[in-house]
Amino acid sequence: MNHAQMILSDVKVIEFGGLAPGPFAGMILADYGADVIKIERTGNMEVTSRPLLSRGKRSIVLDLKSSEGLKIAKKLCLASDVLIEPFRPGVMEKLGLGPTVLLKHNPGLIYARLTGFGQSGKYSQMAGHDINYLAMSGLLSRLGRYNENPMAPLNLMADFAGGGLMCVLGIVLALFVRSRTGNGQVIDANMVDGCAYIGSWIFQGKNTFAIWPSNERGQNLLDTGAPFYETYRTKDNKHMAVGAIEPQFYAQLLNGLGLADDEDLPGQMEMYKWPEMKEKFNQIFATKTQDEWCTIFDGTDACVTPVPTLEEAVQHSHNRDRKLFLTNEIGEAEPRPAPLMSKTPGVSSVKPTPLPGQHTQQILSNLGYSKQQISQLIKDEIVAVKLASSL
């Protein structure tokens, strides 16, 4: 196994089940060697598909509405280095599992609170999703085409970049501080703050003419305004991505399009001509298939690449050379944990994804529960085990 994945091998993590951001944060930690135990609620035992973002974790199903279930959860938290909880402010306190209680008994615990709007503020108790958090960060206002409504890029920005990934950064920094002081701390990771921070370049450059020559969405350098930073449909109804910003790269783009000697061509930064140039590029790209354009542009600095589907990306020669995608236990491709550290062997497979409750008995046994006690907990429906051996 790649050494990069073993960095966190002595770190024990408790993840309270939630939607995408929390599981993603837990999966990243598991990918790099942490022992992540995911606590799932008994009401979530209807298994209809493989749990998403759960690879490499262990799973225990608990009834958190019962005193015994909460007792087990507390034992797990007190024996751990990191806790990830995705609930609205106050929920963990009502369960008796708030940071004040747990840090008193486990002062080295890193208590990561991952929410949409944060632990304070006007919206802190409101429900929301990625699009709402992205909107409140200010970034959504800049995303989308001219004369169209703002458009969220799936749920990538808030859930995963601003939420899960920034939460992991906070956890890793807190682990570093703890290695020096021995003290844990509480992390207020939330998706509005995380999105805004990821958008630092946008905020700091909002008055920079080179980036935002227009205050209108969709008329600027990187937001589909420029013809040289856009996607184009090919003859076979596929697409090419163009990012030829620098003049020397733009020159290679024109050469590949057969426009290098066109004396009537407008200058690259003649903004008022951008719509005209975009239409010209549209017409030219439509004359060849994606493979034909790849033959022309592959290996050049024109900053032109294909736009493969998810399935095509797995098979693309560049990604295969990099071993970007690995095969999971049911034969599907998943992205390899990144970055791949140098001077270490590559990862040959991804870790398996557990079924809800698959490790319930093992985890309880590790906590000191006897077989008889575990059987009684199962009988009383305080805990649950996996419903099926496979999906």
Side-chain angles (χ1 to χ4, degrees), residues 304-350:
V304 179
T305 59
V307 181
T309 64
L310 296 180
E311 293 76 17
E312 290 168 344
V314 172
Q315 300 301 325
H316 194 279
S317 58
H318 173 80
N319 295 335
R320 290 170 68 90
D321 289 344
R322 293 282 302 164
K323 296 181 174 60
L324 172 56
F325 295 96
L326 303 175
T327 303
N328 63 25
E329 70 272 20
I330 62 171
E332 295 177 341
E334 292 187 15
R336 162 179 53 78
L340 186 67
M341 294 181 68
S342 62
K343 299 182 180 179
T344 56
V347 184
S348 60
S349 63
V350 294

Short mmCIF file of all heavy atoms in Angstrom, two decimals, residues 304-350:
data_model
loop_
_atom_site.label_atom_id
_atom_site.label_comp_id
_atom_site.label_asym_id
_atom_site.label_seq_id
_atom_site.Cartn_x
_atom_site.Cartn_y
_atom_site.Cartn_z
N VAL A 304 -6.08 22.58 -25.31
CA VAL A 304 -7.32 22.00 -25.83
C VAL A 304 -7.32 20.52 -25.48
O VAL A 304 -6.38 19.80 -25.81
CB VAL A 304 -7.45 22.18 -27.35
CG1 VAL A 304 -8.74 21.54 -27.85
CG2 VAL A 304 -7.41 23.66 -27.72
N THR A 305 -8.37 20.09 -24.82
CA THR A 305 -8.49 18.68 -24.43
C THR A 305 -9.91 18.21 -24.73
O THR A 305 -10.84 19.02 -24.84
CB THR A 305 -8.23 18.49 -22.93
OG1 THR A 305 -9.16 19.28 -22.18
CG2 THR A 305 -6.81 18.90 -22.56
N PRO A 306 -10.10 16.89 -24.81
CA PRO A 306 -11.46 16.38 -24.94
C PRO A 306 -12.22 16.57 -23.64
O PRO A 306 -11.64 16.84 -22.59
CB PRO A 306 -11.24 14.89 -25.25
CG PRO A 306 -9.93 14.57 -24.61
CD PRO A 306 -9.10 15.81 -24.79
N VAL A 307 -13.54 16.42 -23.71
CA VAL A 307 -14.40 16.39 -22.52
C VAL A 307 -14.97 14.98 -22.42
O VAL A 307 -16.04 14.69 -22.95
CB VAL A 307 -15.54 17.43 -22.62
CG1 VAL A 307 -16.40 17.40 -21.36
CG2 VAL A 307 -14.98 18.83 -22.84
N PRO A 308 -14.24 14.06 -21.80
CA PRO A 308 -14.72 12.69 -21.73
C PRO A 308 -15.87 12.55 -20.73
O PRO A 308 -15.98 13.33 -19.78
CB PRO A 308 -13.50 11.91 -21.26
CG PRO A 308 -12.70 12.91 -20.48
CD PRO A 308 -12.93 14.23 -21.14
N THR A 309 -16.72 11.57 -20.96
CA THR A 309 -17.73 11.22 -19.96
C THR A 309 -17.03 10.58 -18.77
O THR A 309 -15.82 10.28 -18.82
CB THR A 309 -18.75 10.23 -20.53
OG1 THR A 309 -18.06 9.01 -20.85
CG2 THR A 309 -19.41 10.79 -21.80
N LEU A 310 -17.77 10.31 -17.70
CA LEU A 310 -17.17 9.64 -16.55
C LEU A 310 -16.57 8.30 -16.97
O LEU A 310 -15.46 7.94 -16.55
CB LEU A 310 -18.22 9.42 -15.45
CG LEU A 310 -18.82 10.67 -14.80
CD1 LEU A 310 -19.83 10.27 -13.74
CD2 LEU A 310 -17.75 11.57 -14.21
N GLU A 311 -17.31 7.58 -17.79
CA GLU A 311 -16.83 6.27 -18.24
C GLU A 311 -15.61 6.41 -19.14
O GLU A 311 -14.64 5.63 -19.05
CB GLU A 311 -17.94 5.52 -18.98
CG GLU A 311 -19.13 5.12 -18.12
CD GLU A 311 -20.06 6.30 -17.79
OE1 GLU A 311 -19.96 7.35 -18.48
OE2 GLU A 311 -20.87 6.18 -16.85
N GLU A 312 -15.63 7.41 -20.02
CA GLU A 312 -14.50 7.62 -20.93
C GLU A 312 -13.26 8.10 -20.18
O GLU A 312 -12.13 7.77 -20.56
CB GLU A 312 -14.89 8.63 -22.01
CG GLU A 312 -15.91 8.09 -23.00
CD GLU A 312 -16.50 9.18 -23.89
OE1 GLU A 312 -16.36 10.38 -23.55
OE2 GLU A 312 -17.12 8.84 -24.91
N ALA A 313 -13.47 8.88 -19.11
CA ALA A 313 -12.33 9.36 -18.33
C ALA A 313 -11.55 8.20 -17.72
O ALA A 313 -10.32 8.24 -17.61
CB ALA A 313 -12.81 10.31 -17.24
N VAL A 314 -12.28 7.16 -17.30
CA VAL A 314 -11.63 5.99 -16.70
C VAL A 314 -10.69 5.33 -17.70
O VAL A 314 -9.62 4.83 -17.34
CB VAL A 314 -12.70 4.99 -16.21
CG1 VAL A 314 -12.05 3.68 -15.77
CG2 VAL A 314 -13.52 5.59 -15.08
N GLN A 315 -11.08 5.34 -18.98
CA GLN A 315 -10.32 4.64 -20.02
C GLN A 315 -9.30 5.53 -20.74
O GLN A 315 -8.50 5.02 -21.52
CB GLN A 315 -11.29 4.04 -21.05
CG GLN A 315 -12.27 3.03 -20.47
CD GLN A 315 -11.57 1.86 -19.81
OE1 GLN A 315 -10.51 1.40 -20.26
NE2 GLN A 315 -12.14 1.35 -18.72
N HIS A 316 -9.32 6.83 -20.47
CA HIS A 316 -8.41 7.71 -21.20
C HIS A 316 -6.95 7.35 -20.90
O HIS A 316 -6.58 7.06 -19.75
CB HIS A 316 -8.67 9.17 -20.83
CG HIS A 316 -8.02 10.14 -21.76
ND1 HIS A 316 -6.68 10.50 -21.66
CD2 HIS A 316 -8.49 10.82 -22.84
CE1 HIS A 316 -6.38 11.36 -22.60
NE2 HIS A 316 -7.46 11.57 -23.34
N SER A 317 -6.13 7.38 -21.93
CA SER A 317 -4.74 6.91 -21.79
C SER A 317 -3.96 7.70 -20.75
O SER A 317 -3.14 7.13 -20.01
CB SER A 317 -4.03 6.98 -23.14
OG SER A 317 -4.04 8.31 -23.65
N HIS A 318 -4.18 9.01 -20.65
CA HIS A 318 -3.47 9.80 -19.64
C HIS A 318 -3.82 9.32 -18.24
O HIS A 318 -2.93 9.12 -17.40
CB HIS A 318 -3.79 11.29 -19.78
CG HIS A 318 -3.21 12.12 -18.67
ND1 HIS A 318 -1.90 12.51 -18.66
CD2 HIS A 318 -3.77 12.59 -17.52
CE1 HIS A 318 -1.66 13.20 -17.56
NE2 HIS A 318 -2.78 13.27 -16.85
N ASN A 319 -5.11 9.15 -17.98
CA ASN A 319 -5.54 8.72 -16.65
C ASN A 319 -5.11 7.29 -16.35
O ASN A 319 -4.80 6.95 -15.20
CB ASN A 319 -7.07 8.85 -16.53
CG ASN A 319 -7.52 10.30 -16.61
OD1 ASN A 319 -6.76 11.22 -16.31
ND2 ASN A 319 -8.76 10.51 -17.03
N ARG A 320 -5.08 6.45 -17.39
CA ARG A 320 -4.61 5.08 -17.19
C ARG A 320 -3.11 5.07 -16.87
O ARG A 320 -2.66 4.30 -16.01
CB ARG A 320 -4.91 4.24 -18.42
CG ARG A 320 -6.40 3.95 -18.61
CD ARG A 320 -6.68 3.32 -19.97
NE ARG A 320 -6.10 1.98 -20.06
CZ ARG A 320 -6.74 0.86 -19.72
NH1 ARG A 320 -7.98 0.92 -19.24
NH2 ARG A 320 -6.16 -0.31 -19.84
N ASP A 321 -2.36 5.92 -17.53
CA ASP A 321 -0.93 6.02 -17.24
C ASP A 321 -0.69 6.44 -15.79
O ASP A 321 0.25 5.97 -15.14
CB ASP A 321 -0.25 7.02 -18.18
CG ASP A 321 -0.15 6.51 -19.60
OD1 ASP A 321 -0.32 5.29 -19.81
OD2 ASP A 321 0.09 7.33 -20.51
N ARG A 322 -1.55 7.33 -15.31
CA ARG A 322 -1.42 7.84 -13.94
C ARG A 322 -2.07 6.91 -12.90
O ARG A 322 -1.95 7.15 -11.72
CB ARG A 322 -2.10 9.21 -13.84
CG ARG A 322 -1.42 10.31 -14.61
CD ARG A 322 -0.20 10.82 -13.88
NE ARG A 322 -0.55 11.30 -12.55
CZ ARG A 322 0.35 11.51 -11.59
NH1 ARG A 322 1.61 11.24 -11.80
NH2 ARG A 322 -0.02 11.96 -10.40
N LYS A 323 -2.76 5.88 -13.39
CA LYS A 323 -3.51 4.99 -12.49
C LYS A 323 -4.46 5.80 -11.60
O LYS A 323 -4.60 5.56 -10.40
CB LYS A 323 -2.56 4.15 -11.63
CG LYS A 323 -1.70 3.18 -12.45
CD LYS A 323 -0.80 2.35 -11.55
CE LYS A 323 -0.04 1.30 -12.35
NZ LYS A 323 0.83 1.86 -13.38
N LEU A 324 -5.12 6.77 -12.24
CA LEU A 324 -6.04 7.65 -11.51
C LEU A 324 -7.24 6.90 -10.96
O LEU A 324 -7.72 7.18 -9.86
CB LEU A 324 -6.50 8.78 -12.45
CG LEU A 324 -7.60 9.70 -11.93
CD1 LEU A 324 -7.20 10.33 -10.60
CD2 LEU A 324 -7.93 10.77 -12.95
N PHE A 325 -7.73 5.93 -11.73
CA PHE A 325 -8.92 5.19 -11.31
C PHE A 325 -8.54 3.76 -10.96
O PHE A 325 -7.82 3.09 -11.70
CB PHE A 325 -9.98 5.21 -12.42
CG PHE A 325 -10.51 6.58 -12.71
CD1 PHE A 325 -9.98 7.33 -13.76
CD2 PHE A 325 -11.52 7.13 -11.95
CE1 PHE A 325 -10.46 8.60 -14.03
CE2 PHE A 325 -12.00 8.40 -12.21
CZ PHE A 325 -11.47 9.14 -13.25
N LEU A 326 -9.05 3.30 -9.83
CA LEU A 326 -8.80 1.95 -9.36
C LEU A 326 -10.12 1.20 -9.29
O LEU A 326 -11.20 1.80 -9.25
CB LEU A 326 -8.12 1.98 -8.00
CG LEU A 326 -6.80 2.75 -7.95
CD1 LEU A 326 -6.28 2.81 -6.52
CD2 LEU A 326 -5.76 2.12 -8.86
N THR A 327 -10.05 -0.10 -9.23
CA THR A 327 -11.25 -0.93 -9.23
C THR A 327 -11.63 -1.30 -7.80
O THR A 327 -10.79 -1.79 -7.04
CB THR A 327 -11.02 -2.21 -10.06
OG1 THR A 327 -10.64 -1.84 -11.39
CG2 THR A 327 -12.28 -3.06 -10.12
N ASN A 328 -12.90 -1.08 -7.45
CA ASN A 328 -13.35 -1.43 -6.10
C ASN A 328 -13.77 -2.89 -6.04
O ASN A 328 -13.65 -3.64 -7.01
CB ASN A 328 -14.47 -0.49 -5.63
CG ASN A 328 -15.72 -0.59 -6.50
OD1 ASN A 328 -16.00 -1.61 -7.14
ND2 ASN A 328 -16.50 0.48 -6.52
N GLU A 329 -14.33 -3.27 -4.89
CA GLU A 329 -14.60 -4.69 -4.66
C GLU A 329 -15.72 -5.25 -5.52
O GLU A 329 -15.87 -6.47 -5.65
CB GLU A 329 -14.93 -4.93 -3.17
CG GLU A 329 -16.26 -4.38 -2.70
CD GLU A 329 -16.19 -2.94 -2.23
OE1 GLU A 329 -15.24 -2.23 -2.61
OE2 GLU A 329 -17.08 -2.52 -1.48
N ILE A 330 -16.52 -4.40 -6.16
CA ILE A 330 -17.58 -4.90 -7.03
C ILE A 330 -17.29 -4.58 -8.50
O ILE A 330 -18.17 -4.65 -9.34
CB ILE A 330 -18.96 -4.34 -6.63
CG1 ILE A 330 -19.01 -2.82 -6.76
CG2 ILE A 330 -19.34 -4.78 -5.23
CD1 ILE A 330 -20.40 -2.26 -6.58
N GLY A 331 -16.04 -4.25 -8.78
CA GLY A 331 -15.62 -4.08 -10.15
C GLY A 331 -15.84 -2.71 -10.76
O GLY A 331 -15.64 -2.53 -11.96
N GLU A 332 -16.25 -1.74 -9.96
CA GLU A 332 -16.46 -0.39 -10.47
C GLU A 332 -15.20 0.45 -10.27
O GLU A 332 -14.40 0.20 -9.38
CB GLU A 332 -17.64 0.27 -9.75
CG GLU A 332 -18.97 -0.40 -10.00
CD GLU A 332 -20.10 0.24 -9.21
OE1 GLU A 332 -19.80 0.95 -8.22
OE2 GLU A 332 -21.26 0.03 -9.57
N ALA A 333 -15.07 1.47 -11.12
CA ALA A 333 -13.91 2.36 -11.02
C ALA A 333 -14.17 3.47 -10.01
O ALA A 333 -15.26 4.05 -9.97
CB ALA A 333 -13.59 2.96 -12.38
N GLU A 334 -13.17 3.76 -9.18
CA GLU A 334 -13.22 4.87 -8.24
C GLU A 334 -11.91 5.64 -8.34
O GLU A 334 -10.86 5.06 -8.59
CB GLU A 334 -13.41 4.37 -6.81
CG GLU A 334 -14.76 3.75 -6.52
CD GLU A 334 -14.95 3.44 -5.05
OE1 GLU A 334 -14.16 3.97 -4.23
OE2 GLU A 334 -15.87 2.69 -4.72
N PRO A 335 -11.96 6.98 -8.12
CA PRO A 335 -10.72 7.75 -8.15
C PRO A 335 -9.78 7.31 -7.04
O PRO A 335 -10.20 7.06 -5.91
CB PRO A 335 -11.19 9.20 -7.93
CG PRO A 335 -12.63 9.20 -8.33
CD PRO A 335 -13.14 7.84 -7.96
N ARG A 336 -8.50 7.20 -7.38
CA ARG A 336 -7.48 6.87 -6.40
C ARG A 336 -7.28 8.03 -5.44
O ARG A 336 -7.32 9.18 -5.83
CB ARG A 336 -6.16 6.57 -7.13
CG ARG A 336 -4.93 6.64 -6.24
CD ARG A 336 -3.65 6.31 -6.97
NE ARG A 336 -3.42 7.07 -8.19
CZ ARG A 336 -2.97 8.31 -8.23
NH1 ARG A 336 -2.79 8.99 -7.11
NH2 ARG A 336 -2.75 8.91 -9.38
N PRO A 337 -7.00 7.72 -4.16
CA PRO A 337 -6.66 8.82 -3.25
C PRO A 337 -5.46 9.60 -3.77
O PRO A 337 -4.52 9.01 -4.30
CB PRO A 337 -6.31 8.08 -1.94
CG PRO A 337 -7.06 6.80 -2.03
CD PRO A 337 -7.05 6.43 -3.49
N ALA A 338 -5.51 10.89 -3.66
CA ALA A 338 -4.45 11.75 -4.19
C ALA A 338 -3.98 12.69 -3.08
O ALA A 338 -4.71 12.95 -2.13
CB ALA A 338 -4.99 12.57 -5.37
N PRO A 339 -2.74 13.18 -3.14
CA PRO A 339 -1.77 12.95 -4.21
C PRO A 339 -0.99 11.66 -4.00
O PRO A 339 -0.87 11.18 -2.88
CB PRO A 339 -0.84 14.16 -4.07
CG PRO A 339 -0.85 14.44 -2.60
CD PRO A 339 -2.27 14.15 -2.15
N LEU A 340 -0.48 11.13 -5.07
CA LEU A 340 0.37 9.95 -5.01
C LEU A 340 1.79 10.41 -4.66
O LEU A 340 2.39 11.17 -5.39
CB LEU A 340 0.38 9.23 -6.36
CG LEU A 340 1.12 7.90 -6.42
CD1 LEU A 340 0.40 6.87 -5.57
CD2 LEU A 340 1.21 7.40 -7.86
N MET A 341 2.28 9.97 -3.52
CA MET A 341 3.60 10.42 -3.08
C MET A 341 4.70 9.78 -3.92
O MET A 341 4.58 8.66 -4.38
CB MET A 341 3.81 10.08 -1.60
CG MET A 341 2.88 10.82 -0.66
SD MET A 341 3.16 10.41 1.07
CE MET A 341 4.76 11.14 1.35
N SER A 342 5.79 10.52 -4.12
CA SER A 342 6.91 10.00 -4.90
C SER A 342 7.68 8.96 -4.11
O SER A 342 7.60 8.89 -2.89
CB SER A 342 7.83 11.15 -5.30
OG SER A 342 8.38 11.76 -4.14
N LYS A 343 8.42 8.13 -4.83
CA LYS A 343 9.30 7.11 -4.25
C LYS A 343 8.55 6.09 -3.41
O LYS A 343 9.07 5.54 -2.45
CB LYS A 343 10.41 7.77 -3.41
CG LYS A 343 11.31 8.70 -4.21
CD LYS A 343 12.41 9.29 -3.35
CE LYS A 343 13.28 10.22 -4.18
NZ LYS A 343 14.37 10.84 -3.38
N THR A 344 7.28 5.89 -3.73
CA THR A 344 6.50 4.86 -3.05
C THR A 344 5.73 4.08 -4.10
O THR A 344 5.40 4.60 -5.16
CB THR A 344 5.49 5.47 -2.04
OG1 THR A 344 4.65 6.38 -2.74
CG2 THR A 344 6.19 6.18 -0.92
N PRO A 345 5.43 2.81 -3.83
CA PRO A 345 4.68 2.02 -4.81
C PRO A 345 3.27 2.54 -4.96
O PRO A 345 2.70 3.14 -4.04
CB PRO A 345 4.69 0.61 -4.20
CG PRO A 345 4.88 0.84 -2.73
CD PRO A 345 5.77 2.05 -2.62
N GLY A 346 2.68 2.33 -6.13
CA GLY A 346 1.32 2.77 -6.38
C GLY A 346 0.30 1.94 -5.63
O GLY A 346 0.57 0.82 -5.19
N VAL A 347 -0.88 2.49 -5.45
CA VAL A 347 -1.97 1.78 -4.79
C VAL A 347 -2.63 0.87 -5.81
O VAL A 347 -2.98 1.28 -6.90
CB VAL A 347 -3.01 2.79 -4.24
CG1 VAL A 347 -4.09 2.07 -3.47
CG2 VAL A 347 -2.32 3.81 -3.36
N SER A 348 -2.80 -0.39 -5.46
CA SER A 348 -3.33 -1.36 -6.42
C SER A 348 -4.84 -1.52 -6.33
O SER A 348 -5.47 -2.03 -7.25
CB SER A 348 -2.67 -2.72 -6.21
OG SER A 348 -2.92 -3.19 -4.89
N SER A 349 -5.44 -1.10 -5.23
CA SER A 349 -6.89 -1.25 -5.09
C SER A 349 -7.39 -0.26 -4.06
O SER A 349 -6.63 0.24 -3.23
CB SER A 349 -7.26 -2.68 -4.66
OG SER A 349 -6.71 -2.96 -3.38
N VAL A 350 -8.70 0.03 -4.11
CA VAL A 350 -9.30 0.88 -3.10
C VAL A 350 -9.85 0.02 -1.99
O VAL A 350 -10.13 -1.17 -2.18
CB VAL A 350 -10.43 1.76 -3.70
CG1 VAL A 350 -9.86 2.74 -4.69
CG2 VAL A 350 -11.49 0.90 -4.35
#
